Amino acid sequence: QVQLVESGGGLVQAGGSLRLSCAASGSIFSINAMGWYRQAPGKQRELVARIVYVGNTNYADSVKGRFTISRDNAKNTVYLQMNSLKPEDTALYYCNADIRTSVGGVFRNFWGQGTQVTVSS
């Protein structure tokens, strides 16, 4: 059993900052990519940022220069530092990871339950 638990969401004024964390726990042999997605009301879930094990990253155009994704492989944790937040960043933010649970097993995709980020104007 694998769990992804997000934390760090909340209410912030436009221009402010938040730092999201997501810790993976359970039967984990290895983790490849970890990332953050978001879903605003009435919209589709979209990729925010993603980081692979060796550290390569990619970002949605809308957050480039404002958000930074990082990870601590020893802690199986991924972070999302969000600066210069805008009202349009308001959404439920989900953690996502590709995890292998046993030697020789395949990587499977797991999701967290989400953490709400609300940016007021």
Side-chain angles (χ1 to χ4, degrees):
Q1 190 78 355
V2 171
Q3 280 191 318
L4 300 180
V5 179
E6 302 105 331
S7 61
L11 173 64
V12 65
Q13 287 190 330
S17 297
L18 284 174
R19 188 189 193 216
L20 305 183
S21 299
C22 170
S25 63
S27 300
I28 297 171
F29 179 73
S30 63
I31 303 177
N32 189 6
M34 302 185 81
W36 291 94
Y37 289 71
R38 68 186 180 187
Q39 188 167 18
K43 294 190 176 182
Q44 287 190 328
R45 191 175 297 189
E46 63 175 359
L47 173 69
V48 177
R50 188 169 177 269
I51 182 168
V52 297
Y53 184 84
V54 295
N56 293 348
T57 59
N58 62 288
Y59 296 90
D61 288 342
S62 60
V63 307
K64 282 180 181 176
R66 300 187 298 122
F67 291 10
T68 302
I69 190 170
S70 61
R71 64 190 283 175
D72 184 333
N73 292 327
K75 296 181 179 179
N76 292 333
T77 299
V78 64
Y79 306 96
L80 185 68
Q81 178 66 43
M82 305 185 294
N83 298 329
S84 302
L85 282 160
K86 304 175 181 180
E88 50 264 43
D89 294 317
T90 295
L92 192 57
Y93 282 70
Y94 295 92
C95 178
N96 178 269
D98 293 329
I99 297 174
R100 190 164 58 178
T101 57
S102 63
V103 176
V106 297
F107 284 97
R108 290 191 292 148
N109 195 248
F110 293 87
W111 290 92
Q113 301 241 359
T115 184
Q116 179 67 38
V117 171
T118 303
V119 184
S120 63
S121 57

